[in-house]
Amino acid sequence: MRFKKGLTGLALAALLLGVAGCSNGLYKAGTYTGTGQGKDGPVKVQVTVDKNKIKQVKVLSIHDNQVLSAEATKKITKEIVADQTTKVDVVSGATHSSNGIIDGAKKALKKAGATDAQLNKAAKKQAVKPKSTHTDVAVVGAGAAGTAAALAARQQGVNVVLMEKTASPMGAGTLAGGMFAADSAQQKAQHKTVSKKWLYDKYLDASQGYMNGVLVRRIIDQSGPTVDWLNKNGADMKLVDAGTGGSYAHQGDPATLHGYQKGGTVAIKTLIKNYRHAGGKVYFGTPAQKLLTNKRHQVVGVVVKQANGAKLTVHAKKVIIATGGYGGNQKMLNRYLGKPNTKGQVLQNKGDGIKMAWSAGAGKEGLDTTHYFWETYTNAGVKKMTQRVGDKYFALDTFTAFPNLRVNTQGQRFSDETDATLYARRGAEIAAQPKQTEYVIFDKSMLNKIKAKGTVAIEDQYGKWKHNPQSFMEFNEPSDTKTSIKQENTPTDFAPLLNKLTGTGVVFKSDSIDGLARQMGISQTAFQKSVTQYNGAIKQGKDTQFFANPKRLIKVKTGPYYAIKYVARNLGTLGGVRINDQIQATKTDGTAIPNLYVAGADAGGMYGKIYVDFEGGTLGFAYTSGRLAGLNAATSIKHN
């Protein structure tokens, strides 16, 4: 009994001593670091505290997209200090970065002695009164489509209010490389106009007829004038040859792509700047909540929530919805795409605008259309890889661009590997596989060739432009043929990186084909059959299974053998609301919904189930449909 009392006394003393350590304040004064997980790697955060206060939060390193993470870094660090808690809202559009910063700050504060109650206490918010305003046109969404709509309408002399849920422009239009056109001024000057029949047939082939032909034709006709208008307003787009941005299989196609020269973020911010200079109003951090309708079921405005929490009612004669689809809404993805599926790249796109349009009576169209494009890695795989090599794992993207053997989780070869850089179609093919997964298979021989001469030893993908360099910006980063030519001619030893990443569930290695199958967890029999058939096609000079050009296929002959696991990459959804060629939302029977327009990825009718296979299709529709919506809404107001 005395022994137990002694233990109790010691425990109590230890507890009192621990409390005494922080008894004079909330924290142990000092500077601490913590690490969270962002989208593309670890996020290292530094926190400085005194006894009673968080004095500074600083992000030391982050590997996520610079544009998205910059907004999260600015807002999250500021709010943690201002509210003295880590229970702050994430930045819409930069969810992963926000959570990484918050988690890193929490871990740092834990080292400083913070309790869970301190970290999760709710910040005190001042009550704010609801407000209302009146305008001619209200635009919901400040991506490519919404910004174009707002600027086009304002230039027609009507009053416009533009509202965006994120803290700054960060939609798909900021990440894209450029837009298509048929007959822009640049195309005419360079004698590179594109056959409108060729473009129409591309849409028809991709949709297999499941498209609004009248709408498609109008967008094609207006694509050239839209590029010219965007350049006039500072978007800075330049015509570049097909295939210059990595889609090597498009080399030789008509030049449709007008690539961003300063990046999508700069372009859209410039358009918004010009819109403001023209007298337009903009509200960021302002998500829309519902449409206003009158007794006659006509749309007469929109209700939004401002950044300070205040309800803002915008009474408007016309409303244009352009909120970017539902790629970030898991429930909608499950319902309309089925399982499995992959979330879109822009997570703030939750289908808000689509659901608002439906509530006003709009019909549904194109709900199962998704922009699967290229391939990526599972979130679990990214986390494990970044823990080992940081952002160096990006180098694995190199192996997506060559006609190596590719098999699914059943060990089966499933398509023509020489079409690997027809990224739209390839993305759809991967999405159709079990678990939306493929493995790219290669051997030591291929690695040795790259180590000796660079990837040009496998295929010369960019040499065509040695004396005719091409450049533009994609994902707000340079994409130019000079750099690509230098990279493909640079000897690179991938073996050390691959060896470091084995065991992550992404990279697999074995001295035998059967051993590789065991590592991958797939059927040894099926995999061996695929390898044998694939190598046999090369030897015989004829692929009887998927009709690939055997001269381009790459043998799998010399161990050790490698496999990299990729999953389908979804840029976002491409439909939801039925519209007509005037970009008006319509009922199922085609009757226009009074005063409501829907543009960009919220609108259905441009595609069948997959994205069109030429350069600049999605952004082209976004900007052109947005511009037309703004013009049509303004014209309707002025004529009434």
Side-chain angles (χ1 to χ4, degrees):
M1 195 69 164
R2 285 183 180 179
F3 182 64
K4 289 184 178 180
K5 284 183 178 179
L7 279 179
T8 304
L10 287 171
L12 180 60
L15 177 62
L16 291 174
L17 185 62
V19 172
C22 290
S23 63
N24 294 325
L26 300 173
Y27 310 106
K28 292 178 285 185
T31 298
Y32 305 87
T33 61
T35 302
Q37 179 66 33
K39 187 177 189 303
D40 295 320
V43 181
K44 190 173 182 180
V45 181
Q46 177 182 285
V47 176
T48 301
V49 297
D50 62 19
K51 290 183 179 180
N52 295 300
K53 187 177 182 180
I54 303 171
K55 299 189 70 175
Q56 183 187 57
V57 178
K58 184 177 181 181
V59 175
L60 298 180
S61 63
I62 188 167
H63 300 280
D64 298 352
N65 178 279
Q66 290 184 0
V67 174
L68 303 184
S69 62
E71 287 296 332
T73 298
K74 179 181 177 182
K75 182 175 183 290
I76 300 297
T77 55
K78 181 179 179 181
E79 289 193 359
I80 290 175
V81 174
D83 296 342
Q84 290 295 296
T85 177
T86 53
K87 191 174 182 180
V88 296
D89 293 332
V90 301
V91 174
S92 183
T95 303
H96 290 301
S97 298
S98 300
N99 286 331
I101 296 168
I102 292 169
D103 192 37
K106 280 184 177 180
K107 289 177 179 176
L109 287 167
K110 278 275 191 179
K111 293 178 182 178
T115 64
D116 288 336
Q118 289 170 238
L119 295 174
N120 296 309
K121 70 176 182 179
K124 294 181 179 179
K125 301 289 185 180
Q126 292 183 341
V128 286
K129 294 181 179 180
K131 297 180 180 180
S132 66
T133 187
H134 289 76
T135 190
D136 292 318
V137 178
V139 181
V140 183
T147 299
L151 179 58
R154 181 59 196 148
Q155 289 178 339
Q156 293 299 305
V158 299
N159 294 318
V160 184
V161 173
L162 174 61
M163 294 152 285
E164 167 58 45
K165 72 188 293 186
T166 62
S168 70
M170 53 178 68
T174 66
L175 303 176
M179 69 168 283
F180 90 95
D183 54 359
S184 70
Q186 293 179 51
Q187 287 170 312
K188 291 176 181 177
Q190 297 178 39
H191 305 292
K192 292 183 178 180
T193 56
V194 178
S195 164
K196 293 182 179 181
K197 181 182 185 303
W198 184 85
L199 287 166
Y200 185 84
D201 285 346
K202 281 289 187 179
Y203 277 104
L204 192 60
D205 288 345
S207 69
Q208 289 298 295
Y210 286 98
M211 69 181 196
N212 181 339
V214 180
L215 172 65
V216 170
R217 192 69 177 84
R218 181 158 176 75
I219 295 299
I220 291 172
D221 283 343
Q222 289 296 319
S223 59
T226 299
V227 168
D228 297 341
W229 175 79
L230 287 168
N231 277 328
K232 182 179 178 181
N233 285 282
D236 197 3
M237 291 180 162
K238 180 182 176 182
L239 183 66
V240 294
D241 285 350
T244 60
S247 191
Y248 173 68
H250 282 159
Q251 290 188 17
D253 283 357
T256 60
L257 181 64
H258 295 73
Y260 284 132
Q261 294 302 292
K262 297 177 182 176
T265 299
V266 171
I268 291 179
K269 284 185 175 181
T270 300
L271 296 175
I272 291 174
K273 180 180 178 181
N274 290 337
Y275 163 74
R276 278 177 160 149
H277 284 170
K281 293 182 179 179
V282 185
Y283 295 93
F284 281 106
T286 307
Q289 297 182 312
K290 67 177 182 178
L291 291 175
L292 291 176
T293 56
N294 60 20
K295 294 180 180 179
R296 291 180 290 172
H297 305 292
Q298 296 173 320
V299 174
V300 292
V302 61
V303 177
V304 299
K305 182 180 179 181
Q306 291 184 270
N308 62 0
K311 174 183 174 182
L312 175 64
T313 301
V314 182
H315 301 277
K317 298 173 183 177
K318 307 288 179 183
V319 174
I320 301 172
I321 290 175
T323 60
Y326 66 90
N329 186 321
Q330 191 63 66
K331 288 184 178 180
M332 290 184 74
L333 290 169
N334 293 346
R335 180 173 181 181
Y336 298 114
L337 299 184
K339 296 181 180 180
N341 58 66
T342 307
K343 273 193 174 183
Q345 294 288 296
V346 187
L347 295 179
Q348 79 264 17
N349 294 345
K350 304 287 189 181
D352 306 332
I354 293 173
K355 289 183 282 188
M356 286 193 296
W358 290 345
S359 72
K364 297 177 180 179
E365 186 169 25
L367 272 168
D368 61 348
T369 305
T370 308
H371 194 173
Y372 281 116
F373 190 89
W374 199 24
E375 50 202 312
T376 186
Y377 315 91
T378 63
N379 291 335
V382 170
K383 184 174 182 178
K384 289 180 180 179
M385 289 192 294
T386 56
Q387 288 172 345
R388 293 193 184 187
V389 300
D391 60 2
K392 292 180 181 178
Y393 79 90
F394 282 125
L396 298 185
D397 291 355
T398 302
F399 295 95
T400 66
F402 299 96
N404 295 94
L405 171 64
R406 293 155 188 257
V407 300
N408 59 24
T409 58
Q410 306 298 308
Q412 299 170 319
R413 184 179 175 222
F414 59 90
S415 67
D416 178 357
E417 293 86 355
T418 65
D419 286 341
T421 66
L422 285 174
Y423 292 125
R425 195 169 79 194
R426 187 67 194 175
E429 287 177 327
I430 298 170
Q433 299 311 305
K435 299 182 180 180
Q436 296 195 325
T437 296
E438 80 163 4
Y439 296 90
V440 174
I441 314 299
F442 51 95
D443 66 5
K444 181 181 179 180
S445 177
M446 177 178 173
L447 293 182
N448 286 343
K449 290 177 183 179
I450 297 173
K451 181 179 179 180
K453 295 183 179 180
T455 59
V456 73
I458 309 302
E459 285 192 337
D460 182 357
Q461 296 187 334
Y462 296 97
K464 172 183 176 180
W465 292 292
K466 183 176 182 180
H467 302 295
N468 181 28
Q470 308 283 309
S471 65
F472 64 102
M473 297 279 284
E474 190 164 23
F475 293 98
N476 294 295
E477 296 178 355
S479 176
D480 67 88
T481 55
K482 285 184 178 180
T483 299
S484 297
I485 290 170
K486 181 179 179 180
Q487 288 176 341
E488 71 176 3
N489 283 277
T490 300
T492 305
D493 185 3
F494 281 99
L497 176 65
L498 292 166
N499 292 336
K500 287 180 182 178
L501 293 177
T502 56
T504 59
V506 178
V507 177
F508 306 88
K509 177 185 177 182
S510 178
D511 289 329
S512 69
I513 294 298
D514 285 347
L516 188 63
R518 285 194 298 271
Q519 292 287 329
M520 296 157 64
I522 64 175
S523 166
Q524 294 177 45
T525 302
F527 185 48
Q528 181 66 67
K529 182 179 179 181
S530 294
V531 173
T532 300
Q533 189 275 327
Y534 176 86
N535 284 333
I538 298 172
K539 183 177 180 180
Q540 296 162 19
K542 185 178 183 180
D543 176 22
T544 58
Q545 189 165 8
F546 295 111
F547 318 107
N549 176 3
K551 292 181 180 179
R552 291 185 58 205
L553 300 180
I554 305 165
K555 291 180 182 179
V556 183
K557 283 289 189 180
T558 307
Y561 304 97
Y562 296 84
I564 302 178
K565 178 182 178 180
Y566 299 97
V567 295
R569 176 171 171 264
N570 181 8
L571 295 187
T573 58
L574 296 173
V577 181
R578 183 179 290 270
I579 67 169
N580 60 24
D581 64 316
Q582 301 302 304
I583 323 301
Q584 295 170 296
T586 74
K587 298 179 181 178
T588 302
D589 64 6
T591 305
I593 305 293
N595 307 327
L596 182 62
Y597 299 78
V598 177
D602 289 335
M606 281 299 291
Y607 314 93
K609 193 173 177 66
I610 66 169
Y611 174 61
V612 289
D613 195 24
F614 62 82
E615 302 288 347
T618 302
L619 190 67
F621 176 61
Y623 273 132
T624 302
S625 63
R627 171 177 157 265
L628 292 177
L631 288 174
N632 294 340
T635 299
S636 177
I637 289 169
K638 292 195 293 184
H639 287 174
N640 289 332

